[in-house]
Amino acid sequence: MFGGVINFLRKVALKNIKGDEILAQDIMTEYDTLLMSAGIVLRKEYIHRLIDLGITYIYVEDEYAKGIRKEDITEIMIKEQCQKEVQETLDKFTCSGSNELEAMKEVAQEIIYDLLNDKDIMFNVSGVRQKAESAYSHSINVTALAVFIALKMKISKNKVKEIAIGALLHDIGYTYVNTNIKEKSYKDFTDEEKKELRMHVVHGYTAVEKESWLSGIAKEIIFHHHEHIDGSGYPMHIKGDRIKTGSKIVAVCDAFDRMIYGIFGEKMKVHEAMEYISANSGKMFDEQVTKCFNQVVAAYPTGTIVVTSTNEIGIVYRQNKGYPTRPVIRMLKNSQGNEYEDWIEKDLLKELSLFIKDTVE
């Protein structure tokens, strides 16, 4: 393997760890207690214990990850820069490989870092966290993606900050919802529970309506982030341009993150969720927002194991700017399941007959 400082790593679901892998990133509790140090060789008994503690994924160092640098795993970079409040990735799905997007990352990090150190904002976000840890992480993820899309749309930095605040607090109304949102899928809710769940936007808006430190943009987002362009959303069933830009942006980000992590429904893969967003462009979601979403989100994030149309297995090595479904792949196994001995890269912008047909955890 690799000696010295660990530079190559990939994210792996804990349930898929077999033992003897090398841990590439420290495992910490939510209170910053070190559970396991990077460099340790994982044993099966460790894995069972980590699962019991609620850990769902880890980073490992292996040959598959060779060439995937720590700096490319934006989830790790942002966690380190934005301290312990940032539990989940802020921009792990964003495409890389362009100066424009790298500059956007810096601005986004600055904005989010500032927000996470605002006592008023974090007090309210902490209320969401106490209700449900997943809702807290969801709010962080939605904020990061909303910032990226807003910057891509050339919205002014000051307005982006207001959109970011609204995104951070968009689900604050869950603090006042009686339904247990942690244990059930949305399809299992009764009609009365669904009605109560939808009331979170009303509860949230009512809670902040008279708060002078919160802008009108942020309040609009809290109230209208479930409205749809065609009027099929809630609570007011407004449509089209009656929905403000910030609410349109957060609507896309909220839906995407819920699908990716299976909040209230079946968990989808990234490319499946992107297809859903695109299919509903102009119906549920604003077309301009959807277009920018597709430009900044990578359908196959760096480090993802993929299956090609020729039944080969590869790992996404880097992104191609502006082409979220056509990354560069480092090939791991051929169509017969045999591992490649030599380093082979396939750039899907050049291999036009080749495409990704699925991903593997």
Side-chain angles (χ1 to χ4, degrees):
M1 285 300 187
F2 314 102
V5 177
I6 295 175
N7 291 317
F8 306 132
L9 66 165
R10 68 185 179 98
K11 182 177 178 179
V12 181
L14 196 57
K15 65 182 181 180
N16 293 325
I17 296 294
K18 295 179 171 49
D20 295 331
E21 291 90 346
I22 296 178
L23 184 66
Q25 186 77 4
D26 290 347
I27 301 176
M28 312 289 291
T29 70
E30 62 180 288
Y31 303 108
D32 273 358
T33 300
L34 180 65
L35 290 177
M36 201 169 290
S37 300
I40 193 171
V41 177
L42 294 167
R43 298 179 182 175
K44 289 185 178 180
E45 55 264 34
Y46 298 164
I47 297 166
H48 295 308
R49 179 58 178 153
L50 290 173
I51 291 174
D52 290 341
L53 291 171
I55 306 297
T56 57
Y57 67 85
I58 59 175
Y59 287 92
V60 300
E61 176 190 12
D62 61 13
E63 292 296 333
Y64 286 172
K66 189 175 181 180
I68 305 297
R69 299 173 302 165
K70 180 177 179 179
E71 305 89 78
D72 293 331
I73 308 296
T74 52
E75 177 173 7
I76 296 174
M77 177 181 65
I78 302 266
K79 276 184 176 178
E80 291 176 347
Q81 291 191 7
C82 293
Q83 303 171 349
K84 67 180 180 181
E85 282 86 0
V86 187
Q87 295 190 334
E88 289 293 333
T89 178
L90 293 181
D91 68 339
K92 72 177 179 180
F93 295 118
T94 54
C95 301
S96 59
S98 76
N99 292 332
E100 176 194 15
L101 288 176
E102 289 303 317
M104 283 169 57
K105 283 182 184 179
E106 292 182 10
V107 176
Q109 289 167 24
E110 176 188 334
I111 290 172
I112 297 166
Y113 183 84
D114 287 345
L115 297 185
L116 291 175
N117 283 282
D118 186 297
K119 292 181 180 178
D120 284 327
I121 294 169
M122 286 313 300
F123 173 79
N124 286 283
V125 174
S126 294
V128 176
R129 184 179 190 175
Q130 290 170 11
K131 187 73 174 179
E133 189 72 28
S134 61
Y136 167 78
S137 297
H138 168 68
S139 295
I140 298 293
N141 295 339
V142 168
T143 302
L145 191 51
V147 168
F148 270 92
I149 292 175
L151 291 172
K152 184 67 177 178
M153 292 174 69
K154 308 298 183 184
I155 294 173
S156 70
K157 186 174 178 180
N158 286 337
K159 190 173 181 180
V160 171
K161 286 184 177 180
E162 300 302 336
I163 291 172
I165 293 171
L168 264 176
L169 300 177
H170 78 283
D171 275 345
I172 188 176
Y174 281 127
T175 306
Y176 308 96
V177 171
N178 294 323
T179 302
N180 190 331
I181 65 173
K182 294 185 291 185
E183 304 297 333
K184 300 171 67 174
S185 174
Y186 187 77
K187 63 182 176 62
D188 297 324
F189 276 70
T190 65
D191 289 342
E192 194 62 31
E193 287 174 327
K194 289 178 182 178
K195 183 178 178 180
E196 172 67 16
L197 199 64
R198 289 187 171 199
M199 283 296 291
H200 80 276
V201 296
V202 177
H203 294 319
Y205 181 75
T206 301
V208 303
E209 184 179 9
K210 295 181 180 179
E211 295 290 341
S212 59
W213 61 272
L214 199 59
S215 71
I217 291 174
K219 293 175 184 178
E220 286 268 355
I221 289 171
I222 292 169
F223 196 37
H224 291 312
H225 67 274
H226 281 291
E227 299 286 5
H228 296 157
I229 299 302
D230 60 4
S232 64
Y234 64 88
M236 303 300 291
H237 304 289
I238 58 176
K239 62 174 67 175
D241 290 337
R242 290 189 63 196
I243 307 172
K244 300 295 178 61
T245 300
S247 298
K248 291 176 179 178
I249 291 172
V250 174
V252 169
C253 302
D254 175 70
F256 176 71
D257 195 71
R258 282 190 287 110
M259 289 184 285
I260 291 302
Y261 290 101
I263 301 173
F264 302 139
E266 295 297 323
K267 184 176 180 179
M268 291 187 184
K269 295 180 179 179
V270 176
H271 65 279
E272 294 172 338
M274 289 186 71
E275 289 170 4
Y276 178 88
I277 297 294
S278 295
N280 285 284
S281 176
K283 302 171 187 176
M284 294 171 62
F285 309 115
D286 180 80
E287 291 181 349
Q288 184 186 6
V289 174
T290 302
K291 179 180 178 181
C292 289
F293 166 81
N294 284 322
Q295 289 174 344
V296 301
V297 174
Y300 306 100
T302 302
T304 301
I305 304 294
V306 297
V307 182
T308 71
S309 53
T310 56
N311 292 319
E312 295 175 291
I313 305 294
I315 186 170
V316 176
Y317 185 59
R318 64 177 180 272
Q319 304 293 325
N320 278 314
K321 176 188 175 184
Y323 296 89
T325 63
R326 310 294 291 174
V328 177
I329 304 172
R330 180 191 170 204
M331 307 313 298
L332 304 175
K333 295 181 180 180
N334 61 26
S335 57
Q336 284 75 45
N338 299 317
E339 293 188 2
Y340 284 103
E341 294 183 2
D342 299 321
W343 184 300
I344 297 176
E345 282 187 17
K346 292 190 178 181
D347 187 339
L348 298 194
L349 277 187
K350 298 176 181 177
E351 304 269 353
L352 298 181
S353 63
L354 188 67
F355 60 89
I356 296 171
K357 69 176 185 179
D358 204 355
T359 61
V360 180
E361 282 195 337

